[in-house]
Amino acid sequence: MASELVVAVAGATGAVGREMLKTLEMRNFPATKVIPLASSRSVGKTVPYKGQELPVSELKEDSFQGVHLALFSAGGGTSKTFAPHAAKAGCIVVDNSSAWRMDPEVPLVVPEVNPDHLDNHKGIIANPNCSTIQMVVALKPIHDAARIKRVVVSTYQAVSGTGQKAIDELDGQVRAMYNNRDIPVNVYAHRIAFNCLPHIDRFLDDGYTFEEEKMMLETKKIMGDDSIRVTATTVRVPVFYGHSEAVNIETERKLTAAEARDILSKAPGIVVMDDPSNNEYPMALTAAGQDPVFVGRIREDRSLENGLDIWVVADNIRKGAALNAVQIAEILLQKKLLG
Ligand code: A2P
């Protein structure tokens, strides 16, 4: 590794950006300098890193001179505008937005699933959608063992996936309700407190949402198999941290629940929690603040010849965003593609 490794975090004041800084610190990422970037609104603010308060600079086209790695989580439009400038300056971008994910020139990577896709990067690497990341970590070992034909997934997604303003909105709505005040509704189309919204991201012409389409298309790209059919229903629930997913899987070869449990418990990045007799199964509360993808409720689907039902939970800000991005950077270092 070169002696210098300068890392920028674009969107450093946001929910994911702050977690990126925390993750770099917690995993002892060998950055020699960390530069937090955000909009002009945040100039004058600081963000914590390794016991210090780092001043936030404005993200600009020329922010990336001398920067080796940039972790972006500042929205799709910002990534579309600034990631090419970063790449042109010789910086490797790991982008958490949906802006580049389906670009055939851009690897879309989950380290437990397709680290080899990093080998041909051209300066921009995409971090997948949060719900997709945790699902493919669980699907990959099952696909390797029994070939997946079709997946039907329903999600229960935390508000932190929308960003800090949504965390504040759920908190504000609950407080307003208990204090008999008017309930502010700004972030989502409807109240999220004590409600479930079958609406994440915008609606498409055929009735799916863009979030559902992301899960359907990104899964094929990450798994490197266009033949896997996926349908998704994505739902926002009043949970702060941790996405949960009910995943139904149809395979070519039969896997018993015991076989699936064994395969999943040996797979990288997964913790199996599956003891219904003791009320043991993963929950959002289990995953919040944790790194692994938790899998439970593993059972054979009574309605299919070769079918499994599983329940997959992970911290959407960690494995679903910041941790996955930092793991990508760690693999770039291992492969000597960075620094
Ligand atoms: P800022 O705090 O200055 O608005 P979240 O997903 O939690 O809402 O966070 C979004 C992050 O993206 C924040 O750090 C935000 O900075 C940053 N951001 C949003 N728009 C821009 C922009 N046009 N240029 C730079 N950073 C941006």
Side-chain angles (χ1 to χ4, degrees), residues 11-16 37-42 45 59 73-75 78 82 162-165:
T13 52
V16 172
L37 302 169
S39 77
S40 55
R41 293 180 292 273
S42 293
K45 289 188 189 164
L59 171 61
S73 192
T78 310
F82 291 98
T162 314
Q164 189 59 46
K165 58 191 178 305

Side-chain angles (χ1 to χ4, degrees), residues 174-325:
V174 172
R175 286 173 198 278
M177 288 176 75
Y178 281 117
N179 287 291
N180 279 324
R181 291 198 307 261
D182 286 345
I183 299 164
V185 177
N186 300 308
V187 175
Y188 299 116
H190 304 277
R191 196 183 91 195
I192 184 64
F194 305 102
N195 201 7
C196 297
L197 309 177
H199 175 186
I200 301 185
D201 217 317
R202 64 181 193 273
F203 279 102
L204 307 176
D205 288 344
D206 65 356
Y208 279 104
T209 61
F210 187 42
E211 184 80 352
E212 290 158 353
E213 183 178 77
K214 287 177 221 165
M215 292 193 80
M216 287 148 55
L217 298 182
E218 291 179 23
T219 298
K220 292 170 190 267
K221 179 167 173 177
I222 300 162
M223 304 273 281
D225 189 340
D226 256 348
S227 72
I228 302 174
R229 285 171 292 156
V230 184
T231 184
T233 302
T234 57
V235 181
R236 190 72 67 192
V237 297
V239 163
F240 285 110
Y241 295 98
H243 288 357
S244 305
E245 299 175 347
V247 188
N248 179 264
I249 305 162
E250 185 176 4
T251 53
E252 202 164 273
R253 288 181 292 286
K254 171 89 186 160
L255 273 188
T256 65
E259 284 167 337
R261 203 170 286 119
D262 184 53
I263 288 164
L264 287 164
S265 60
K266 290 175 180 150
I270 293 179
V271 169
V272 170
M273 271 185 88
D274 195 19
D275 184 4
S277 62
N278 284 312
N279 298 334
E280 195 186 279
Y281 35 74
M283 300 171 287
L285 286 179
T286 318
Q290 304 294 319
D291 286 350
V293 171
F294 295 87
V295 184
R297 300 292 323 277
I298 301 164
R299 60 205 191 278
E300 288 157 43
D301 175 351
R302 289 184 189 175
S303 74
L304 277 178
E305 204 130 312
N306 299 334
L308 291 167
D309 280 297
I310 63 174
W311 175 249
V312 181
V313 187
D315 186 321
N316 52 299
I317 298 294
R318 280 211 179 187
K319 183 56 186 165
L323 173 62
N324 199 74

Side-chain angles (χ1 to χ4, degrees), residues 8-248:
V9 175
T13 52
V16 172
R18 284 176 183 276
E19 191 69 25
M20 284 170 160
L21 290 166
K22 206 161 107 189
T23 308
L24 289 169
E25 176 177 339
M26 278 176 13
R27 294 176 75 86
N28 238 342
F29 190 81
T32 52
K33 184 176 179 194
V34 170
I35 304 173
L37 302 169
S39 77
S40 55
R41 293 180 292 273
S42 293
V43 173
K45 289 188 189 164
T46 60
V47 285
Y49 177 72
K50 287 200 171 170
Q52 295 167 276
E53 285 294 324
L54 302 182
V56 178
S57 304
E58 183 181 352
L59 171 61
K60 292 185 180 157
E61 289 179 5
D62 64 358
S63 296
F64 301 97
Q65 297 304 326
V67 175
H68 301 91
L69 170 74
L71 305 179
F72 267 69
S73 192
T78 310
S79 292
K80 259 280 185 275
T81 307
F82 291 98
H85 291 287
K88 211 162 160 201
C91 170
I92 299 181
V93 173
V94 180
D95 179 40
N96 191 52
S97 81
S98 61
W100 300 97
R101 290 181 190 148
M102 294 314 297
D103 185 323
E105 298 278 288
V106 173
L108 180 66
V109 175
V110 177
E112 291 85 346
V113 180
N114 62 337
D116 48 309
H117 289 195
L118 289 173
D119 296 343
N120 303 314
H121 82 83
K122 296 184 170 58
I124 302 177
I125 295 155
N127 212 34
N129 164 267
C130 45
S131 295
T132 311
I133 292 177
Q134 65 183 69
M135 182 170 78
V136 295
V137 167
L139 291 183
K140 174 73 162 106
I142 292 172
H143 191 50
D144 288 346
R147 237 195 71 73
I148 294 174
K149 288 165 67 178
R150 181 167 185 250
V151 174
V152 181
V153 55
S154 302
T155 69
Y156 305 75
Q157 297 183 217
V159 296
S160 53
T162 314
Q164 189 59 46
K165 58 191 178 305
I167 298 173
D168 296 341
E169 173 131 314
L170 174 56
D171 182 75
Q173 288 181 351
V174 172
R175 286 173 198 278
M177 288 176 75
Y178 281 117
N179 287 291
N180 279 324
R181 291 198 307 261
D182 286 345
I183 299 164
V185 177
N186 300 308
V187 175
Y188 299 116
H190 304 277
R191 196 183 91 195
I192 184 64
F194 305 102
N195 201 7
C196 297
L197 309 177
H199 175 186
I200 301 185
D201 217 317
R202 64 181 193 273
F203 279 102
L204 307 176
D205 288 344
D206 65 356
Y208 279 104
T209 61
F210 187 42
E211 184 80 352
E212 290 158 353
E213 183 178 77
K214 287 177 221 165
M215 292 193 80
M216 287 148 55
L217 298 182
E218 291 179 23
T219 298
K220 292 170 190 267
K221 179 167 173 177
I222 300 162
M223 304 273 281
D225 189 340
D226 256 348
S227 72
I228 302 174
R229 285 171 292 156
V230 184
T231 184
T233 302
T234 57
V235 181
R236 190 72 67 192
V237 297
V239 163
F240 285 110
Y241 295 98
H243 288 357
S244 305
E245 299 175 347
V247 188
N248 179 264

